Amino acid sequence: MNAERDLSPLTPGVVRALTDKLYEKRKVAALEIEKLVREFVAQNNTSQIKHVIQILSQEFALSQHPHSRKGGLIGLAACSIALGKDSGLYLKELIEPVLTCFNDADSRLRYYACEALYNIVKVARGSVLPHFNVLFDGLSKLAADPDPNVKSGSELLDRLLKDIVTESNQFDLVGFIPLLRERIYSNNQYARQFIISWILVLESVPDINLLDYLPEILDGLFQILGDNSKEIRKMCEVALGEFLKEIKKNPSTVKFAEMANILVIHCQAADDLIQLTAMCWMREFIQLAGRVMLPYSSGILTAVLPCLSYDDRKKNIKEVANVCNQSLMKLVIPEDDEMDEAKPPMAIPAEPTSEESLSRPEAVTTGSLDASGDSSNSGVFTVTSCERIQVTLNLDGIVQVLDYHLSDTSIGMMTRIAVLKWLYHLYIKTPRKMFRHTDSLFPILLRTLSDESDEVILKDLELLAEIASSPAGQTEEGHGPSDGSDVRPGPVELHVPARAGQLSSSSTKGLECSPSTPTMNSYFYKFMINLLKRFSTERKLLETRGAFIIRQLCLLLNAENIFHSMADILLREEDLKFASTMVHTLNTILLTSSELFQLRNQLKDLKTPESRNLFCCLYRSWCHNPVTTVSLCFLTQNYKHAYDLIQKFGDLEVTVDFLTEVDKLVQLIECPIFTYLRLQLLDVKNNPYLIKALYGLLMLLPQSSAFQLLSHRLQCVPNPELMQTTHLASRMENFTCGVAMETSRAGKEVYGERLQQLGGAPKASPLQPGQPSQHPKGAWHSANASG
């Protein structure tokens, strides 16, 4: 600054004092300036007031000399004090040079700038609000100042500004939000603390509706929630909690769709607090917004599904994620399966990568949460009829996410179970749309049968059974969908079992289905083919889980259909060893499983054409294994044929495996399943081939425990000659009846005379039909003696 330059109306003494290095002299100069400005105010001399402010700003506050800058700052503060209420007319000129000094390298000068601005704002009060953004921007920088004195001074100014905003109803929130959105991503702890404190203040002002602009700052808030400072994390947690309370109170004004993807991102955060908070928000959003969240289902599932396999260390996150998953699942309804492409689509914010075709308009509804949810259905947001919007179930995206998680071997058991439940739910609610994805899902569902968890396999079988039996899976002409792999060498026709009277000649060649069994869709036979193929290529699965899988399928589907179709497929199997093993497995299940009680009863009597047809189908495939064929004959009471087959065993190569199967058959004969067979051994006359067949098995066995077991059983077969006692017992019965009839006809006296006559006989003669005895007991003795 040029000292000789005319700076009137400031006197040379005032100018020298303002540039002095001592604070006391600068303060005296400031008092002179205040006195001078007061005189101009009294004279209403605005031009001189502006001139003084301009001099202090240009020649002092923005000077290159540090002491001059300090004098300019204290002089501007003195002008503001002198102006009083009129300072609002000159705020721009007063504030700008002070804010420039906020960036000064000298910490003392930054402190003086903060002090000067405090005095300016204190005088102007509400008049500073039009300049709030520049003040906020400057304060946000001072909040992170390394000098504690500067930071302390900025805190005083910050509190003053907050009081002004709280008292005023003229705050420009729309103009402030872009600055807040920018500053909220600061990584400095003090700046973050400053931002959160202002958000809490604005949120507490009734006239300021910050909720409308929450999508602008929500992501930044979750970023701050991951700060290393516990105090800042706590402040941010409080702010988010307040926003969530407000959302629950006024759900109709909340922009759920604009915040959905933000929550999806932070539900996958590595920080536990961020993830738990975001998951709690997601739970509330799904319940409050209902079907508005459906377009974001694939993203939500991407975030939620992995959390379901968390251990107890993240138990809270797991529980909230489970509620989110269940609530989202309930939003899918049968109407989502309807096709209504004629109506023009109405765009709503959705995931940027999804390509969606809109279904018919649906009201925004919600499914009830489980008991673990915090909110009740009373707070559900439903739009009015004039605001009714279309929501789209992004099925392609959902299936893609489910497929990915089911294919990932590192995913936990509970996640895989949840995926299978989702797929099952979608096949129930939207079968027509889901069957478009069946060909791509089928291989992974078959691979899932090799899972280590029984619960996963059970859910997988439920899903496969639904696919195989759903009417939506029926294709034209009863043929199954094309399969990319060759299941068996040579052509294999896939035919759907038809109902009674609907079997064509061509369909009976492919699958001899009993007319009494329920109709399966096109995927049923494909499922059976691929299941057997998997058993063939993965023998360990057959050994460890084969029986379990087939038994569960018999519960979920029609057991007769399953055995009928598998027998038909095995008839064409070229791997004879696998065919023999598979037939043995099926036979064991047929004879031992409680689930197949009705099927065994059906085969036991062969009274109906359906049961005979089933027996013929099974018999042809059971011939892959000689011993199982005999057991099937035992089950169906074809004892003569069983005996004929055993006679043929002499022509076969008797191996250890063969004898082992015979041993197992003997063990089965002793089981409750064959109780009727063992009882038939008492009727020697009518079941000679049963006894011969059992003796044939006995002759095949070496001297083993099975040999001893069957030998002891055959020793219990009664001697045919001993069975003649039945005739003798019949004669005694006739005699007793004769005595009773005579007694009734002749009376007591005639009966007494007959007894006297009989008493004179020297010796009891052998009993004859109709001949009375002296005493009933004597008659039994005489009968025994004559026998």
Side-chain angles (χ1 to χ4, degrees):
M1 182 185 68
N2 189 357
E4 297 179 356
R5 186 177 178 183
D6 184 18
L7 298 177
S8 59
L10 298 182
T11 64
V14 171
V15 172
R16 283 195 301 270
L18 281 177
T19 58
D20 198 280
K21 64 179 180 180
L22 295 178
Y23 172 77
E24 293 298 331
K25 291 186 177 181
R26 295 196 301 273
K27 185 176 181 181
V28 171
L31 292 174
E32 290 296 326
I33 293 173
E34 180 183 347
K35 180 179 179 182
L36 178 64
V37 173
R38 287 184 186 275
E39 292 176 358
F40 290 149
V41 171
Q43 300 169 3
N44 197 21
N45 193 343
T46 58
S47 60
Q48 285 288 50
I49 295 173
K50 288 182 179 180
H51 184 56
V52 171
I53 294 175
Q54 183 180 7
I55 292 173
L56 292 172
S57 174
Q58 299 295 327
E59 303 297 332
F60 289 89
L62 301 179
S63 172
Q64 298 297 323
H65 194 274
H67 297 307
S68 296
R69 293 199 295 273
K70 294 176 184 176
L73 290 172
I74 196 170
L76 289 172
C79 287
S80 176
I81 294 172
L83 288 169
K85 297 179 180 180
D86 295 334
S87 63
L89 301 174
Y90 309 95
L91 278 178
K92 182 179 179 181
E93 293 80 3
L94 290 169
I95 290 175
E96 285 183 355
V98 177
L99 290 175
T100 303
C101 293
F102 277 5
N103 300 319
D104 199 284
D106 186 357
S107 61
R108 292 293 299 171
L109 202 143
R110 293 197 302 273
Y111 175 78
Y112 287 133
C114 190
E115 184 181 47
L117 189 59
Y118 178 87
N119 288 319
I120 294 171
V121 172
K122 185 177 181 180
V123 173
R125 300 297 294 183
S127 300
V128 302
L129 288 180
H131 308 277
F132 178 82
N133 281 8
V134 292
L135 295 174
F136 182 88
D137 183 55
L139 276 175
S140 66
K141 296 173 183 177
L142 291 184
D145 198 282
D147 188 272
N149 292 324
V150 176
K151 192 182 299 181
S152 176
S154 69
E155 289 175 357
L156 289 174
L157 176 58
D158 179 55
R159 284 197 290 270
L160 174 62
L161 199 57
K162 286 175 180 175
D163 291 340
I164 294 172
V165 171
T166 304
E167 295 169 357
S168 175
N169 58 358
Q170 299 177 353
F171 181 72
D172 183 13
L173 183 62
V174 177
F176 172 62
I177 289 298
L179 179 62
L180 179 61
R181 183 177 62 242
E182 176 189 348
R183 289 287 183 264
I184 202 169
Y185 288 104
S186 173
N187 292 324
N188 184 278
Q189 289 186 356
Y190 298 104
R192 285 180 166 183
Q193 190 173 13
F194 172 77
I195 294 294
I196 292 297
S197 66
W198 267 102
I199 290 176
L200 288 170
V201 168
L202 294 176
E203 196 176 3
S204 64
V205 178
D207 295 334
I208 298 177
N209 187 10
L210 194 58
L211 188 63
D212 287 345
Y213 304 94
L214 182 57
E216 304 282 338
I217 61 173
L218 183 61
D219 180 61
L221 284 172
F222 276 105
Q223 297 278 2
I224 296 176
L225 190 60
D227 195 272
N228 294 327
S229 170
K230 291 183 179 179
E231 182 181 357
I232 295 176
R233 290 164 72 100
K234 185 64 177 178
M235 289 178 62
C236 188
E237 196 174 359
V238 171
L240 286 168
E242 292 299 320
F243 275 121
L244 193 57
K245 289 180 182 178
E246 191 69 21
I247 288 172
K248 292 179 182 179
K249 291 179 181 178
N250 305 288
S252 59
T253 63
V254 179
K255 301 173 182 177
F256 291 103
E258 295 182 19
M259 294 183 281
N261 283 329
I262 297 174
L263 295 182
V264 167
I265 293 171
H266 292 290
C267 280
Q268 304 173 68
D271 185 277
D272 288 353
L273 179 59
I274 295 177
Q275 189 177 26
L276 176 60
T277 305
M279 199 69 72
C280 290
W281 275 61
M282 184 67 76
R283 178 190 63 195
E284 300 300 333
F285 272 38
I286 294 173
Q287 183 174 13
L288 294 172
R291 288 176 58 83
V292 170
M293 301 297 288
L294 273 184
Y296 309 93
S297 298
S298 58
I300 296 172
L301 289 176
T302 301
V304 167
L305 288 175
C307 302
L308 301 179
S309 294
Y310 282 173
D311 54 23
D312 289 341
R313 289 174 296 180
K314 297 184 177 182
K315 183 179 179 181
N316 293 337
I317 300 176
K318 179 180 179 180
E319 291 176 351
V320 179
N322 185 55
V323 176
C324 291
N325 181 59
Q326 296 295 330
S327 301
L328 185 64
M329 189 181 296
K330 292 175 182 177
L331 298 181
V332 181
I333 56 177
E335 285 75 7
D336 290 319
D337 201 31
E338 296 182 5
M339 300 298 295
D340 192 3
E341 300 176 354
K343 294 185 179 181
M346 295 176 61
I348 61 172
E351 294 170 326
T353 58
S354 62
E355 295 181 0
E356 305 165 2
S357 58
L358 295 178
S359 61
R360 74 179 188 130
E362 293 295 337
V364 178
T365 58
T366 184
S368 60
L369 281 177
D370 295 339
S372 54
D374 295 335
S375 301
S376 62
N377 288 339
S378 59
V380 172
F381 163 49
T382 56
V383 295
T384 59
S385 58
C386 61
E387 298 172 334
R388 200 173 290 250
I389 60 175
Q390 288 180 317
V391 292
T392 302
L393 178 66
N394 182 17
L395 198 60
D396 293 345
I398 293 175
V399 172
Q400 184 178 0
V401 171
L402 297 176
D403 193 337
Y404 169 78
H405 283 86
L406 195 59
S407 303
D408 189 353
T409 55
S410 63
I411 294 295
M413 179 190 70
M414 298 307 298
T415 297
R416 295 198 300 276
I417 292 174
V419 169
L420 293 169
K421 287 182 177 179
W422 256 103
L423 289 171
Y424 181 84
H425 183 73
L426 292 175
Y427 271 104
I428 294 295
K429 299 295 183 181
T430 59
R432 289 192 299 171
K433 290 183 179 179
M434 277 303 295
F435 267 96
R436 301 172 188 170
H437 304 277
T438 301
D439 286 336
S440 61
L441 289 172
F442 218 70
I444 181 61
L445 293 178
L446 288 170
R447 288 198 298 271
T448 306
L449 292 175
S450 303
D451 197 274
E452 297 177 354
S453 168
D454 287 346
E455 192 172 354
V456 172
I457 295 177
L458 281 173
K459 295 299 178 185
D460 191 29
L461 290 173
E462 288 181 13
L463 176 56
L464 285 167
E466 177 61 28
I467 293 174
S469 59
S470 175
Q474 188 65 57
T475 58
E476 293 180 2
E477 298 180 359
H479 292 285
S482 59
D483 190 5
S485 59
D486 294 331
V487 180
R488 297 286 182 270
V492 178
E493 297 181 7
L494 304 184
H495 296 279
V496 181
R499 297 190 184 275
Q502 296 179 352
L503 283 173
S504 64
S505 59
S506 60
S507 63
T508 55
K509 293 178 183 178
L511 175 60
E512 297 180 9
C513 176
S514 169
S516 65
T517 59
T519 300
M520 296 291 130
N521 66 23
S522 309
Y523 284 91
F524 173 77
Y525 202 72
K526 176 184 178 181
F527 176 33
M528 295 296 106
I529 290 175
N530 283 276
L531 179 60
L532 290 176
K533 179 183 178 181
R534 188 153 191 86
F535 284 151
S536 177
T537 56
E538 194 174 341
R539 297 298 175 88
K540 185 178 180 181
L541 175 63
L542 176 59
E543 295 172 3
T544 58
R545 299 288 182 84
F548 171 74
I549 290 172
I550 295 173
R551 288 178 61 181
Q552 292 302 319
L553 286 176
C554 289
L555 287 174
L556 296 168
L557 297 170
N558 182 270
E560 182 179 345
N561 269 351
I562 292 172
F563 273 78
H564 214 307
S565 58
M566 285 191 171
D568 184 73
I569 297 167
L570 289 171
L571 191 61
R572 296 165 174 79
E573 177 61 57
E574 293 188 351
D575 185 351
L576 299 181
K577 185 175 181 181
F578 166 71
S580 176
T581 303
M582 193 67 222
V583 164
H584 176 74
T585 302
L586 290 172
N587 185 70
T588 304
I589 296 171
L590 177 62
L591 295 179
T592 60
S593 299
S594 58
E595 296 87 352
L596 299 177
F597 174 77
Q598 294 183 353
L599 189 60
R600 284 195 297 271
N601 285 342
Q602 185 179 346
L603 288 169
K604 188 184 298 182
D605 298 328
L606 300 180
K607 293 181 179 180
T608 62
E610 293 81 8
S611 61
R612 292 192 288 270
N613 181 29
L614 176 61
F615 169 73
C616 292
C617 180
L618 295 180
Y619 181 84
R620 285 193 292 269
S621 291
W622 260 232
C623 287
H624 281 298
N625 189 307
V627 178
T628 58
T629 309
V630 172
S631 66
L632 181 63
C633 292
F634 281 158
L635 177 64
T636 56
Q637 304 184 61
N638 288 299
Y639 301 134
K640 184 178 186 305
H641 188 62
Y643 170 69
D644 294 338
L645 291 175
I646 293 173
Q647 290 291 99
K648 298 291 184 181
F649 285 178
D651 300 332
L652 302 177
E653 179 184 359
V654 179
T655 63
V656 175
D657 292 339
F658 177 83
L659 292 176
T660 301
E661 291 191 17
V662 175
D663 187 295
K664 292 179 180 178
L665 177 57
V666 172
Q667 302 293 336
L668 282 174
I669 292 174
E670 294 298 322
C671 291
I673 299 297
F674 282 113
T675 300
Y676 70 94
L677 181 145
R678 298 195 299 273
L679 290 174
Q680 288 175 349
L681 292 175
L682 294 175
D683 191 359
V684 180
K685 181 178 180 181
N686 292 324
N687 297 292
Y689 287 104
L690 170 59
I691 298 173
K692 289 182 179 182
L694 294 178
Y695 270 109
L697 292 178
L698 186 65
M699 294 303 106
L700 289 172
L701 288 169
Q703 297 287 333
S704 61
S705 58
F707 177 89
Q708 299 296 331
L709 185 65
L710 183 57
S711 176
H712 290 159
R713 174 63 66 185
L714 290 172
Q715 289 175 11
C716 297
V717 176
N719 190 327
E721 295 181 359
L722 295 177
M723 299 302 287
Q724 297 298 325
T725 54
T726 304
H727 176 64
L728 187 61
S730 177
R731 292 169 57 193
M732 276 301 303
E733 184 179 358
N734 292 337
F735 166 71
T736 305
C737 290
V739 172
M741 290 175 63
E742 291 188 19
T743 303
S744 175
R745 187 170 50 248
K748 293 182 180 181
E749 294 181 358
V750 176
Y751 179 62
E753 294 177 358
R754 291 290 299 274
L755 287 177
Q756 289 178 2
Q757 293 176 4
L758 290 172
K763 184 178 180 181
S765 60
L767 286 174
Q768 298 295 331
Q771 179 180 353
S773 62
Q774 182 179 4
H775 192 274
K777 186 175 180 180
W780 283 107
H781 283 298
S782 299
N784 291 334
S786 65

